[in-house]
Amino acid sequence: MLRAGSSEVRELSRRAFCWQGGLWLGGALVAVAQEPATAPQANGTPPSSDCPRCGGLGVIPQEGARPLVWITGQPPPRPEAFLDEQDCPICTGGAPRSVEQAHQQIEAVQQRNQLWSERTGWRVVSVATRHAAVHGQLTPSQARSVGQALETLTLHLKAVTGTFVLTPTRPSTFEMFFLWERSGWDRFRSVLEKLYTLEQLGSEWAPARDYNAYDHAEIPHWYETPQSVRGRPPSCGAVFLTARRQLILATAHRAPFWLREGFAAYGDYRCHGSNRWYSVYDVRRLPVGDWMAEARRAAAEDRLRPWEDVFHRELRDWEWLDHVQTLAMTAFLLETQPSRFLDLVRRLRMGEALEPALTAAYRRSTTELAQQCSRWLLARR
């Protein structure tokens, strides 16, 4: 599980399991430290980390980029299609990826597809987007729906912020594995147990056997069944896991738990218009559906918790309202003032504590932010 060039494996102690629409999702995360990459400038110095336009990456998304979804077994896309970067107008001299680098992304997906096919003995199907690759027991139609949802997520995050700060991964650096039914899940776990030590698999590896997903640092994986896909598309799990991983990496693993969960739920909501994946500590059934509508109803009935309480609640104490409210808080912070959300991400990445970072980024107390969030929810229709 160790990433090339790294010997550090940092395991998060918080136990997290998820349930969605009839199955259980194990979400204990084993994380390897990784900072978002920056593009070197022409003079060899990195862009300024304080750049208000690119967030220190040196490049920004191209406007009007079209979704890119490629499924193995089909002709690979032109490498130029992967290119969605342009120089930051402030950090001049950035270095957008070249056609050769884009070609390397395509080759990496092909190589990983072959490798996973050899490891599992399956005819693995892979789908690649600009920011992720999903391998596994996918039908072509499932692969396309997963890829389209992931592109919807990342294109939305790039459009809202105008940066790559919240989309730091590429298909060569972030891959997931989709499994079909419990038999596929068990077999894949056996494959991973031959590849990694128990320490690398994480302390939640053993209990996760009885669930249906595991957010492993190198290869998050989950399974669906003929029954489960009647209630949700396979893309729900892919989007939830991808959104959470983007924020974890963007903050150098320093995002608080409530924000990780809220951001993951936000991705699911933005892509699917409802929420069908979430983390729980114990076995419990939570309602699925339009959580933003539920948050608006809770605001109207004055049932939302003070934000300070949300910050310090452990997952073991979470109720349905906590899931709904963390989604609403995250959506409010990101959509109303995306530049300040990026400032919050930067401050967390630099090691600032949550509450000072939040109040400094938004120039409001947490009480004022909570009041503004309620008014924002009540104005939504």
Side-chain angles (χ1 to χ4, degrees):
M1 183 181 64
L2 292 179
R3 198 177 302 277
S6 172
S7 61
E8 179 184 359
V9 178
R10 182 162 58 89
E11 183 179 335
L12 304 184
S13 61
R14 189 184 304 274
R15 182 183 179 191
F17 296 108
C18 304
W19 181 89
Q20 16 64 35
L23 288 178
W24 296 94
L25 165 73
L29 176 64
V30 180
V32 178
Q34 174 179 314
E35 296 283 352
T38 59
Q41 290 182 298
N43 61 8
T45 60
S48 170
S49 61
D50 296 327
C51 176
R53 183 63 182 87
C54 69
L57 301 180
V59 291
I60 59 174
Q62 290 180 350
E63 293 184 5
R66 297 175 62 85
L68 186 146
V69 177
W70 170 53
I71 303 170
T72 53
Q74 300 178 354
R78 294 181 300 105
E80 293 85 349
F82 267 90
L83 302 179
D84 61 342
E85 304 169 354
Q86 62 186 18
D87 288 337
C88 173
I90 297 177
C91 291
T92 56
R97 289 182 304 156
S98 65
V99 171
E100 176 59 28
Q101 289 172 317
H103 181 68
Q104 291 171 359
Q105 295 289 326
I106 298 173
E107 288 187 332
V109 174
Q110 293 172 323
Q111 292 168 359
R112 297 297 288 179
N113 172 273
Q114 181 178 353
L115 180 61
W116 283 116
S117 295
E118 293 171 353
R119 286 172 169 175
T120 61
W122 296 325
R123 185 178 179 180
V124 171
V125 173
S126 301
V127 56
T129 69
R130 291 188 179 92
H131 295 277
V134 181
H135 314 285
Q137 298 175 292
L138 292 155
T139 66
S141 62
Q142 288 173 334
R144 182 156 299 279
S145 70
V146 167
Q148 290 172 340
L150 293 179
E151 275 290 273
T152 297
L153 169 68
T154 53
L155 286 172
H156 172 73
L157 295 176
K158 288 182 286 189
V160 169
T161 65
T163 74
F164 289 103
V165 171
L166 299 181
T167 53
T169 63
R170 291 294 179 181
S172 61
T173 64
F174 179 56
E175 60 179 356
M176 298 177 287
F177 209 99
F178 173 83
L179 301 153
W180 190 243
E181 299 198 88
R182 178 59 186 262
S183 58
W185 168 262
D186 290 339
R187 183 170 175 178
F188 190 71
R189 283 176 59 88
S190 297
V191 170
L192 294 190
E193 286 171 349
K194 295 176 182 177
L195 295 174
Y196 305 117
T197 66
L198 289 177
E199 180 183 3
Q200 291 170 337
L201 290 170
S203 63
E204 296 299 334
W205 176 254
R209 177 181 295 107
D210 298 326
Y211 297 82
N212 81 314
Y214 192 68
D215 197 357
H216 188 273
E218 291 297 324
I219 185 75
H221 49 281
W222 79 104
Y223 81 87
E224 299 285 6
T225 70
Q227 294 74 33
S228 70
V229 296
R230 295 172 186 169
R232 64 175 182 275
S235 56
C236 288
V239 167
F240 187 95
L241 292 168
T242 297
R244 183 162 58 179
R245 184 63 60 92
Q246 302 305 305
L247 188 69
I248 287 172
L249 295 179
T251 59
H253 307 277
R254 296 187 176 102
F257 180 75
W258 71 266
L259 186 57
R260 299 181 186 192
E261 293 300 303
F263 196 79
Y266 175 78
D268 191 14
Y269 179 81
R270 270 293 161 202
C271 291
H272 301 109
S274 62
N275 289 91
R276 284 167 279 191
W277 277 65
Y278 49 86
S279 299
V280 297
Y281 185 86
D282 296 315
V283 176
R284 67 185 74 174
R285 293 173 178 264
L286 302 183
V288 297
D290 187 344
W291 283 6
M292 288 300 292
E294 295 298 332
R296 182 169 63 249
R297 186 174 297 111
E301 297 171 357
D302 197 25
R303 291 189 290 112
L304 296 177
R305 303 184 193 280
W307 279 26
E308 293 85 351
D309 292 352
V310 175
F311 296 162
H312 302 292
R313 284 176 65 80
E314 293 289 334
L315 182 61
R316 64 172 61 89
D317 301 320
W318 274 32
E319 300 172 350
W320 183 41
L321 178 62
D322 295 285
H323 296 274
V324 170
Q325 184 170 350
T326 52
L327 162 62
M329 291 165 62
T330 304
F332 163 74
L333 291 172
L334 175 59
E335 293 190 354
T336 60
Q337 300 183 80
S339 63
R340 294 188 177 180
F341 188 87
L342 293 179
D343 188 25
L344 171 63
V345 167
R346 181 185 65 83
R347 290 173 181 275
L348 293 173
R349 184 170 66 244
M350 298 301 292
E352 291 188 30
L354 169 64
E355 293 186 50
L358 182 63
T359 55
Y362 284 85
R363 300 171 177 82
R364 295 286 188 276
S365 68
T366 53
T367 299
E368 291 173 319
L369 288 172
Q371 293 170 346
Q372 290 180 349
C373 181
S374 293
R375 290 195 294 270
W376 178 75
L377 284 169
L378 291 173
R380 291 175 61 90
R381 290 292 182 269

